[in-house]
Amino acid sequence: MRKRTLFRLATATVATGAAALAYASLVERNMFTLRRFDVPVLPTGTEPLRVLHLSDLHMTPNQVRKQQWVASLAALDPDLVVVTGDNMAHPGAVPGVLRALQPLLDYPGAFVFGSNDYTGPVWKNPFSYFLPDREYTDGVELPTEDLRDVLTGAGWVDLNNRRTTVKAGGRAIDMAGVDDPHVERDDYASVAGPVSSTADLSIALTHSPEPALLDEMAADGFGLLLAGHTHGGQVCVPGVGALVTNCGLPRSMAKGLHRWPGSDSWLHVSAGLGTHPTAPVRFACPPEASLLTLIPS
């Protein structure tokens, strides 16, 4: 009797695990979701401004559904589009990224890159993400400059360790960004400094939301900090949330909008639209883009 009960429990556990894996790999990772947030960063009495935040597409050539969904976001008519890196996951990904972003290139835009805009992903043990000193391994070289040329050729601003003023929605936006801190390509010192007193608002970009970097950006007065990289945890526990962020950010901030501690700045972390190709699953954390409506504070 005991053996029969144990067998039934084991069978039920395996079946439940298989069902969860099937859901995570076949259903939820394709449940593209639009999040909406109001962010109080504008001066009193000014009109709202809408920012579409995209991140972590991890595009491969055959991901037509993702490409179509991202392209459909042009119907939101954003004032500004911001992309915070990890667009590619395959050497032939640029045409797919372009199909996704093409309708959005008609709007003002800015971008920074992530590590997977330079080299492709490699297989890794998923449990290695719990190791704080995990060594990063480069994969195959990706067509970084081809992607950069497509985006800048459309008029989008390259903010990899750069700073400039962007005009969008009738406003002057002081914008700064860094290349990916996750692989030590960032150089915030080269763009640091107090936000412009003549700008209507200020936004800073990074792929990986490393706390020390965010502290510096907030100290310079940037009102809105945008990042990706975490995938929101990618595989989360209902009622608990993310188990890991793959950076120094607390798990409670793995995705969504948060006031950055000790400052007047707001941080938005996108859970992203893709997955690592060797771990194509999402659980309790669907792929997402975010429409941020900036409003008077």
Side-chain angles (χ1 to χ4, degrees):
M1 187 68 176
R2 179 178 297 178
K3 289 183 179 179
R4 186 180 302 171
T5 300
L6 290 175
F7 177 77
R8 288 175 176 172
L9 287 174
T11 301
T13 299
V14 171
T16 300
L21 179 60
Y23 167 79
S25 61
L26 300 176
V27 179
E28 185 166 319
R29 77 181 179 95
N30 292 308
M31 293 173 57
F32 303 113
T33 303
L34 179 67
R35 306 291 186 195
R36 297 175 184 265
F37 298 93
D38 289 342
V39 191
V41 294
L42 295 182
T44 302
T46 56
E47 292 293 320
L49 185 140
R50 295 185 298 169
V51 178
L52 178 63
H53 183 192
L54 306 175
S55 197
D56 297 87
L57 273 71
H58 290 284
M59 192 70 74
T60 59
N62 62 344
Q63 292 178 325
V64 176
R65 183 185 301 181
K66 186 194 299 182
Q67 295 163 15
Q68 293 175 339
W69 189 84
V70 174
S72 74
L73 297 175
L76 296 171
D77 194 28
D79 297 300
L80 175 68
V81 182
V82 171
V83 178
T84 50
D86 273 9
N87 298 281
M88 298 186 284
H90 187 279
V94 170
V97 175
L98 180 57
R99 283 191 291 271
L101 296 181
Q102 184 70 64
L104 294 167
L105 295 177
D106 293 333
Y107 298 93
F111 66 93
V112 293
F113 283 156
S115 61
N116 286 151
D117 291 308
Y118 295 99
T119 58
V122 296
W123 186 90
K124 61 194 73 174
N125 184 338
F127 293 102
S128 68
Y129 284 100
F130 292 92
L131 302 176
D133 298 321
R134 177 174 58 88
E135 182 177 353
Y136 183 82
T137 303
D138 289 327
V140 63
E141 186 174 339
L142 296 178
T144 308
E145 297 311 314
D146 291 347
L147 179 59
R148 194 192 312 269
D149 289 346
V150 165
L151 299 181
T152 57
W156 280 16
V157 177
D158 180 353
L159 288 177
N160 288 291
N161 298 324
R162 296 180 183 178
R163 184 169 182 171
T164 190
T165 299
V166 174
K167 294 294 184 69
R171 258 63 67 89
I173 309 173
D174 186 358
M175 297 192 72
V178 295
D179 210 335
D180 192 2
H182 187 62
V183 287
E184 300 180 348
R185 299 181 69 101
D186 57 311
D187 182 15
Y188 185 67
S190 66
V191 299
V195 298
S196 171
S197 60
T198 61
D200 297 299
L201 67 148
S202 55
I203 302 175
L205 279 58
T206 176
H207 176 65
S208 180
E210 300 297 342
L213 170 63
L214 298 176
D215 282 340
E216 291 185 82
M217 290 174 164
D220 278 340
F222 284 95
L224 179 59
L225 316 176
L226 300 179
H229 178 69
T230 66
H231 294 194
Q234 189 166 320
V235 176
C236 299
V237 176
V240 176
L243 300 178
V244 65
T245 63
N246 196 25
C247 64
L249 196 70
R251 292 184 295 108
S252 61
M253 293 185 172
K255 64 180 178 179
L257 184 67
H258 306 272
R259 176 76 82 174
W260 185 245
S263 76
D264 293 327
S265 302
W266 289 91
L267 169 67
H268 179 261
V269 180
S270 172
L273 285 157
T275 64
H276 194 290
T278 64
V281 296
R282 278 183 177 258
F283 191 81
C285 187
E288 67 177 42
S290 295
L291 185 64
L292 309 176
T293 301
L294 311 189
I295 60 175
S297 57

